[in-house]
Amino acid sequence: MGLNRRTAMKAGLLSAAASALGLNMGSNSARAQGTSAPTTLTVQGEAAVRTNIPVVRDRRASGGRYLSLTTGKRPPREGWYATYAVRAPEAGVYALTAVATAPVEVPHTEAAASYLQLSLNDGPFKEIARSQPYWYESKPAWGDLSVLDLGELELRDGENVLTFRVTEPTVLEAGTAYALALDRFTLKRRKGVGLGEVYVGDGAPSTYRHGEPAILTLELNGHADRAHRVRYTVVDYFGERVAEGYATIGTGETTARVALPQLPPGNYLVEASSGDDDTPGTAGVAGMAGHFACLPQRPAVTGPANRFGVNVWATSLVPPSRLDAFTAAMKDMGAGWLRDGQAWPAAEPTPSAYDTEHHDRVTRTIRRHGLSPLEVVSPAPEWAMTEVSLPLPADLRHAYRYARRLASRHPEAIHLSNEPDVDTTSSTGDAHAAFVKAAALGIADAPRPPLVVLPGIAQAGPFQDLMLENDVVRYADVWAFHGYPDPAEQGEPSFPGAAEEQRELAGRHGADDVPRWMTECGAFFAARPGVDLTPAQQAVQARYLVRSMVEGLAAGNSRQFWFAGPPLHDEGVYFGLLSREFQPLPAYSACAALTSLLGEAHFVGPVSGLPTEAVGFDFDTGRGESVRVLWATKPVRVPVQGATAYDVMGRRVANDGTVTVSSDPVYAVTVDAVRPEVRQAPPRRGPLSPAEHIVLSQRYSARNAAPNKDNGDAEPPLGYRLSRRTRMSLDIYNFTETSQTVTVTAHPTGGWSARANGPTRVEVPPQGRTTLSFTITAGSGVKRRTDHRLEFTATLDGDEVPPSVSLVQLR
């Protein structure tokens, strides 16, 4: 799953924007839109009373000009800013929108800006830290600009001062920069005040651990001009009302706080609405809802024993001001690993000139909270690629050096690319294998090298088969793949067969002892713009998270990574464990229960003797307990004698020796008198030999490129498309510190022949590359559009160099 996939969504300019606003675009004062229309104020971006952001001309801008910032220069002490004077005809709450660049990619443009900070009337700056769905669902305006919903502000009667500020860089195509484009912003008067936030604790992510006090906060979007009596109800995951009451927000106040009763672990929905309007001295307010989670009292295990991870993509999905709280929330949920990554083009904008400060803060935050970072290597910078090599560097020495640099930043593991088998390039399994070898050698040569994780494969097939034929497994510590159910399964998705396929594939390649990680698992839930998943979808997501994690571990996976943690709306699908307001959805609480109860989660075996409708999986927690995870296609009673039962949310369930099991998983925990022996993880691979430091890479001209993979939908033949007689090159890389002499041999099949256009015994300088030329010829019996294997082998001092194996076809 990738966040850079763009749909074909293209929209025209925001039609009749100026006439719809009904305002003088050069004025900062309000103008009524009819007698009953709400007050609307529109301010041109270039009309700042003070700014250090350049103003540029563009006839598409509403006033013919706009603010435009794109610079790698660090901001001055006050930041990159623009200050505006806005005269409001009446005090009150105003909705703030802007025609500007969003801080994340949106369907109509991949351009991104820095996150904005806002100060009102000389108050403190606060980041506009909205979640990715808010930005993603923005309507297009013009160019790379969108119509952005920036929240609400409470203005005073008369003059107000608004200052927008940028202090954080963003990731652009070729590096990090401070970026913002602002055409105009609009303030539209709201009728009265309403509830702005409902949360428990200190705000998002709205969680607390069982046994701690829980304080519910009801917060207005402005100061109350009279007392507001608010009614609230708290409903658990199963729809049962567990708390209710009233709270009064006094005149001139914005919040009311209520102590909640002791609640069991679980996920809760708070609904707040108008109070009793007949009560003298009170007024109703608009309704609001929010989620909170009561976490199990016992946290998940930490360190290497933790088997659970979550995908983050912090730069795209987590505003800078939320990163610390978000990471803490993932730790509280029981994740031991966060899968993240930085853009290689941003990290190395020019050869060997590294700029990793922006992403290094993410890695430091992850480590500070006791989590392990899994760093994903992105496609190469444009300067390193050619038309033929896309998305890999044409010179694999760049991959070696960049991977060594990444390893020096102390991730726990490095994932050597994301789903290369289903992108829209012509890259092949053999080319990717050569890249993996070079990058793995760079990692191995770094001090305290992290784990090397093979590319995350989207689906088993020809691309992965070819990559494995190139003997890449010997360079890796971890075998990685992804697994998603059929997107059409919106009801109760089935766990895919990817885990079993990959286990069988690893067996065929003699890699049974290499730990397998499912670095993406999740489900596709159709998302409606502007709202969270429905309650029914939330329940399905929670159930599927537990089942997918359990079935993945039972299939032999060493670790499972959920996609994704933060709020995420992508191409009509919602993936996140948190709501649009960064509050915990039921799947978050289900994960917290799972990680708390399973402990080290050593799979023992399937549970026998169950009714035909039920399935069960037995785990050893590593702390003297056995846990059976049980579910069924329809409600059925299952024996659990001597066990303590817990529901999907981690709440203890009374039982009489049996418990009802349904589509919501149930845990049966038994204390073992004798702890069973637990299999230990295999040791890391040993040092790589000099011969393994030699990398062979086949290279063909653009006219011989393999077919585009078309997001993995292309049918064979998939090999390089050759003429009857084709000249190609074999690059020989030496990633040792001494000169090496290598002897190369070609092994064509299927009626093809290969002739070297020069000596095949060559000397390769240290950290250098030597290129051999070959002519590949198709015999008279070679059929067109049929893949055949072309292998190059080499020896170094009698030792075999890992081969380069490609597929070729006669076009």
Side-chain angles (χ1 to χ4, degrees):
M1 186 64 56
L3 295 180
N4 290 323
R5 295 184 187 170
R6 297 295 93 204
T7 65
M9 296 173 60
K10 298 293 181 184
L13 300 180
L14 189 65
S15 60
S19 60
L21 289 168
L23 296 169
N24 178 352
M25 293 302 176
S27 171
N28 290 356
S29 60
R31 185 177 294 180
Q33 300 180 13
T35 55
S36 61
T39 299
T40 302
L41 314 170
T42 296
V43 180
Q44 297 300 321
E46 68 272 19
V49 295
R50 293 185 305 278
T51 185
N52 57 6
I53 299 176
V55 175
V56 300
R57 294 184 179 276
D58 194 307
R59 59 184 178 83
R60 297 173 297 177
S62 60
R65 298 184 299 167
Y66 69 106
L67 290 187
S68 179
L69 173 71
T70 304
T71 180
K73 182 180 178 182
R74 289 182 179 274
R77 184 175 181 181
E78 63 273 21
W80 300 111
Y81 74 94
T83 298
Y84 300 88
V86 179
R87 181 170 295 278
E90 57 181 328
V93 176
Y94 290 73
L96 175 63
T97 59
V99 173
T101 38
V104 302
E105 290 182 12
V106 294
H108 51 274
T109 176
E110 295 183 6
S114 299
Y115 276 90
L116 274 173
Q117 297 175 350
L118 178 62
S119 169
L120 175 61
N121 294 327
D122 298 322
F125 280 95
K126 294 183 178 180
E127 185 177 82
I128 302 176
R130 313 213 83 177
S131 64
Q132 181 265 359
Y134 279 104
W135 311 117
Y136 184 84
E137 296 160 5
S138 301
K139 295 180 180 179
W142 57 268
D144 291 329
L145 280 67
S146 307
V147 182
L148 305 179
D149 177 359
L150 303 182
E152 296 176 322
L153 293 176
E154 186 179 17
L155 300 185
R156 61 194 181 196
D157 186 10
E159 186 170 289
N160 293 264
V161 177
L162 276 69
T163 298
F164 295 99
R165 185 176 76 170
V166 166
T167 63
E168 292 278 350
T170 190
V171 177
L172 303 180
E173 287 186 5
T176 57
Y178 301 86
L180 172 67
L182 175 61
D183 183 3
R184 65 183 183 271
F185 64 89
T186 300
L187 292 151
K188 187 174 182 178
R189 179 75 161 89
R190 293 289 198 204
K191 183 179 179 180
V193 297
L195 281 169
E197 289 190 83
V198 178
Y199 56 88
V200 169
D202 297 326
S206 201
T207 65
Y208 68 100
R209 202 161 288 283
H210 181 62
E212 298 174 352
I215 305 299
L216 172 66
T217 298
L218 306 167
E219 187 172 292
L220 297 178
N221 56 8
H223 290 79
D225 57 356
R226 70 184 85 177
H228 288 272
R229 192 165 185 255
V230 181
R231 184 173 187 270
Y232 66 90
T233 59
V234 180
V235 179
D236 69 10
Y237 169 79
F238 301 97
E240 298 177 2
R241 185 174 297 177
V242 296
E244 60 184 331
Y246 291 88
T248 299
I249 302 175
T251 304
E253 301 294 326
T254 60
T255 59
R257 293 180 173 84
V258 180
L260 292 176
Q262 180 90 304
L263 297 173
N267 193 269
Y268 298 91
L269 176 66
V270 183
E271 296 180 323
S273 59
S274 302
D276 184 356
D277 292 337
D278 295 330
T279 303
T282 67
V285 297
M288 191 70 180
H291 286 271
F292 70 90
C294 176
L295 300 166
Q297 193 166 23
R298 181 165 60 180
V301 298
T302 59
N306 187 293
R307 295 180 179 269
F308 304 100
V310 66
N311 285 266
V312 176
W313 311 120
T315 299
S316 298
L317 302 178
V318 184
S321 64
R322 293 189 185 271
L323 180 62
D324 194 71
F326 169 82
T327 307
M330 295 298 102
K331 173 69 177 296
D332 288 342
M333 184 187 72
W337 290 74
L338 293 190
R339 183 174 181 249
D340 197 72
Q342 65 180 322
W344 184 352
E348 193 179 7
T350 57
S352 300
Y354 297 104
D355 178 13
T356 61
E357 179 183 353
H358 183 64
H359 185 71
D360 286 347
R361 281 184 292 169
V362 176
T363 302
R364 288 195 298 268
T365 301
I366 293 172
R367 285 203 167 278
R368 188 172 66 250
H369 286 279
L371 295 161
S372 298
L374 172 57
E375 177 77 25
V376 184
V377 178
S378 80
E382 185 174 348
W383 58 259
M385 293 188 296
T386 63
E387 178 187 355
V388 175
S389 73
L390 183 80
L392 305 172
D395 187 335
L396 295 182
R397 288 170 292 186
H398 294 309
Y400 173 91
R401 288 190 287 264
Y402 179 64
R404 188 169 61 181
R405 167 71 183 196
L406 277 185
S408 72
R409 313 318 287 175
H410 308 305
E412 197 70 26
I414 295 181
H415 205 345
L416 296 179
S417 82
N418 181 66
E419 298 189 349
D421 55 320
V422 294
D423 64 20
T424 56
T425 74
S426 298
S427 65
T428 56
D430 62 289
H432 217 83
F435 163 79
V436 167
K437 294 172 186 177
L441 289 167
I443 294 168
D445 288 349
R448 294 188 296 145
L451 297 173
V452 174
V453 183
L454 288 175
I457 295 296
Q459 57 197 36
F463 184 96
Q464 186 185 19
D465 290 339
L466 186 57
M467 191 178 71
L468 294 170
E469 286 294 322
N470 280 264
D471 205 2
V472 293
V473 177
R474 69 168 72 192
Y475 291 85
D477 300 294
V478 176
W479 178 298
F481 64 99
H482 299 163
Y484 290 89
D486 186 339
E489 293 185 345
Q490 292 286 303
E492 295 290 341
S494 302
F495 186 66
E500 292 291 349
E501 288 176 352
Q502 295 294 323
R503 179 167 65 179
E504 294 173 3
L505 188 60
R508 291 202 300 270
H509 285 269
D512 286 321
D513 60 339
V514 179
R516 293 185 301 279
W517 294 5
M518 184 179 270
T519 50
E520 286 187 23
C521 67
F524 300 84
F525 294 102
R528 296 178 298 160
V531 295
D532 287 324
L533 297 177
T534 66
Q537 288 176 311
Q538 292 175 23
V540 173
Q541 185 192 43
R543 292 193 287 266
Y544 183 76
L545 181 142
V546 175
R547 295 201 303 266
S548 64
M549 293 286 187
V550 167
E551 291 195 60
L553 294 174
N557 298 340
S558 296
R559 284 195 169 85
Q560 293 280 125
F561 290 74
W562 179 262
F563 189 93
L568 171 57
H569 180 187
D570 191 30
E571 299 185 9
V573 178
Y574 195 89
F575 293 99
L577 297 176
L578 303 181
S579 73
R580 297 165 60 89
E581 306 302 331
F582 281 93
Q583 293 182 338
L585 294 175
Y588 174 96
S589 297
C591 188
L594 172 81
T595 58
S596 170
L597 291 167
L598 287 194
E600 296 181 6
H602 300 285
F603 179 59
V604 176
V607 178
S608 60
L610 295 174
T612 56
E613 302 89 347
V615 295
F617 300 87
D618 192 7
F619 289 87
D620 169 43
T621 67
R623 55 194 177 206
E625 297 167 325
S626 292
V627 180
R628 286 168 285 165
V629 190
L630 309 161
W631 62 83
T633 55
K634 64 180 183 180
V636 62
R637 298 294 289 184
V638 172
V640 291
Q641 288 91 346
T644 303
Y646 299 85
D647 64 26
V648 66
M649 293 286 112
R651 179 182 62 176
R652 187 165 177 174
V653 178
N655 73 87
D656 57 0
T658 64
V659 67
T660 299
V661 174
S662 66
S663 55
D664 282 318
V666 171
Y667 303 89
V669 182
T670 305
V671 177
D672 292 326
V674 179
R675 176 181 171 180
E677 182 180 353
V678 175
R679 293 174 296 168
Q680 299 298 317
R684 286 191 54 160
R685 56 173 169 77
L688 294 167
S689 69
E692 290 169 319
H693 278 71
I694 304 298
V695 176
L696 307 180
S697 178
Q698 299 182 41
R699 187 152 48 89
Y700 297 82
S701 66
R703 66 179 177 273
N704 302 126
N708 189 298
K709 293 191 290 293
D710 190 26
N711 274 326
D713 294 328
E715 295 291 332
L718 302 173
Y720 297 108
R721 292 173 289 194
L722 307 187
S723 303
R724 285 284 177 186
R725 195 163 179 269
T726 303
R727 197 179 180 99
M728 54 82 65
S729 300
L730 181 72
D731 290 334
I732 308 167
Y733 293 88
N734 171 19
F735 291 110
T736 73
E737 299 303 320
T738 59
S739 180
Q740 304 289 353
T741 299
V742 177
T743 302
V744 175
T745 305
H747 304 274
T749 62
W752 290 87
S753 63
R755 177 176 58 83
N757 300 317
T760 56
R761 179 177 173 83
V762 293
E763 185 174 349
V764 189
Q767 296 294 320
R769 177 181 67 179
T770 297
T771 301
L772 298 184
S773 172
F774 286 84
T775 298
I776 311 298
T777 303
S780 58
V782 174
K783 295 180 179 180
R784 296 184 183 275
R785 296 186 54 76
T786 302
D787 283 330
H788 292 284
R789 177 186 171 109
L790 174 58
E791 179 179 11
F792 288 88
T793 60
T795 57
L796 172 66
D797 297 331
D799 291 336
E800 291 186 0
V801 171
S804 171
V805 182
S806 71
L807 296 177
V808 296
Q809 58 169 299
L810 179 62
R811 62 183 176 186

